[in-house]
Amino acid sequence: MTTYQWRERIKELEGEGHELVLETIDKCVKEHGSCCGNVCDIISLWFTKYAKDGRVTYSEAVRLNRMLELVEDIDYELEQSTTEEKQYLDVLLAALLAFYSKAVDKSFPLSLLNGIWASDGVHYSDRIWNNKQLLLTYIQTDLKRAFARGDSLEDIIKQMKKRFNTSENALERLIQTEATAYESEMLRDWMASMGYEQYQWITILDGKQCGECEGMNRLVFRLEDYERGVTAPPLHSHCRCQISPIV
């Protein structure tokens, strides 16, 4: 294949792989939405149990330790949901591994998914659990502030839905970014095995690309200079760029 043919082929692969990513995002978003509904139900039941005149005071919630049972129930729900979401992400990355193995006729070991690509040294399996813990911390803070203000149940539920919406966006970014990182790593590994010395940056120009990635499009780098986040994707969270060999 020529350099141009490889570039077009990688674009096709990215498109097909992106469909797998979108399917996983859809599953995770539905799971996250279900979790939000369950958490809101937990809060509603707790609030009904302890509210007086439609309010729960900070003192009643925090100083009397009544909030502890609420947080424990919410934590359990988040634990169950995060387990499901991580399984969806595990399946996606394994599917991408099989997909690219067939596409470039190279067997990629599952151990490749154990690698850590992020500069902060956090593996995706830990990152998704960190996000869960962060969500729980935010929920605890939101509830304490709501009780301190004397918010109604309706206001509390509204805030919970906003919080879950923000968390959902973070989950989508995580899935797309991890998929891009491992796709890029598989292509780098394949190019090295084939003896290619240079590669070209491919930005998906579909109107959704950012200016930073658009400026990287078609830049050429030596394979020995491959560095994710600098000379290779992902350049940022939610990046969909890829690389292609220079023949």
Side-chain angles (χ1 to χ4, degrees):
M1 278 190 178
T2 65
T3 297
Y4 171 79
Q5 288 173 324
W6 268 122
R7 186 170 65 244
E8 294 306 303
R9 177 57 179 149
I10 296 298
K11 285 182 181 179
E12 291 177 6
L13 291 177
E14 193 284 332
E16 293 172 32
H18 191 54
E19 289 301 314
L20 295 174
V21 173
L22 291 178
E23 289 175 10
T24 301
I25 288 176
D26 184 59
K27 291 177 182 177
C28 286
V29 165
K30 288 179 180 177
E31 173 59 39
H32 213 61
S34 177
C35 180
C36 177
N38 292 340
V39 167
C40 288
D41 288 344
I42 290 170
I43 293 172
S44 296
L45 288 172
W46 181 92
F47 194 90
T48 301
K49 180 179 178 181
Y50 293 114
K52 294 178 182 178
D53 300 321
R55 297 289 187 274
V56 175
T57 67
Y58 180 86
S59 179
E60 291 170 333
V62 179
R63 292 184 184 176
L64 297 180
N65 290 326
R66 288 173 176 170
M67 191 173 165
L68 181 60
E69 65 176 273
L70 175 60
V71 172
E72 288 178 346
D73 288 344
I74 292 174
D75 188 29
Y76 177 78
E77 187 61 41
L78 294 180
E79 187 99 7
Q80 298 299 108
S81 182
T82 302
T83 298
E84 287 291 318
E85 291 163 1
K86 181 185 176 299
Q87 288 177 349
Y88 286 138
L89 183 52
D90 288 340
V91 170
L92 166 65
L93 296 178
L96 287 174
L97 199 73
F99 173 73
Y100 274 88
S101 291
K102 182 177 180 181
V104 299
D105 194 26
K106 174 177 171 57
S107 178
F108 297 108
L110 276 173
S111 59
L112 185 147
L113 300 180
N114 295 328
I116 298 175
W117 65 268
S119 59
D120 60 7
V122 180
H123 190 260
Y124 77 86
S125 59
D126 295 319
R127 195 178 301 281
I128 199 167
W129 285 108
N130 290 346
N131 286 356
K132 171 261 178 186
Q133 190 58 43
L134 183 62
L135 176 57
L136 179 64
T137 299
Y138 278 134
I139 288 175
Q140 286 180 275
T141 300
D142 288 339
L143 289 172
K144 286 182 179 180
R145 289 175 178 174
F147 298 144
R149 291 190 301 262
D151 287 356
S152 66
L153 176 60
E154 181 180 1
D155 289 335
I156 293 173
I157 296 302
K158 186 182 297 183
Q159 175 59 29
M160 283 302 106
K161 290 180 179 179
K162 287 176 61 178
R163 181 62 67 192
F164 267 87
N165 184 60
T166 300
S167 176
E168 179 183 302
N169 292 335
L171 178 60
E172 288 186 38
R173 290 194 299 272
L174 170 64
I175 295 169
Q176 179 62 70
T177 308
E178 294 296 335
T180 296
Y182 284 107
E183 286 175 307
S184 179
E185 182 62 25
M186 283 184 274
L187 289 170
R188 185 210 65 81
D189 186 63
W190 164 70
M191 281 187 265
S193 70
M194 293 294 290
Y196 293 116
E197 297 181 351
Q198 294 180 304
Y199 64 90
Q200 187 175 62
W201 186 291
I202 301 175
T203 301
I204 308 303
L205 301 174
D206 57 1
K208 299 178 182 178
Q209 74 278 358
C210 69
E212 192 172 15
C213 287
E214 189 169 356
M216 297 291 288
N217 190 40
R218 297 200 176 191
L219 291 184
V220 176
F221 301 96
R222 294 188 60 80
L223 195 59
E224 63 186 12
D225 293 329
Y226 177 98
E227 182 180 353
R228 284 182 297 268
V230 181
T231 62
L235 195 59
H236 54 78
S237 179
H238 221 295
C239 184
R240 296 183 296 130
C241 297
Q242 275 309 337
I243 58 175
S244 178
I246 295 293
V247 178

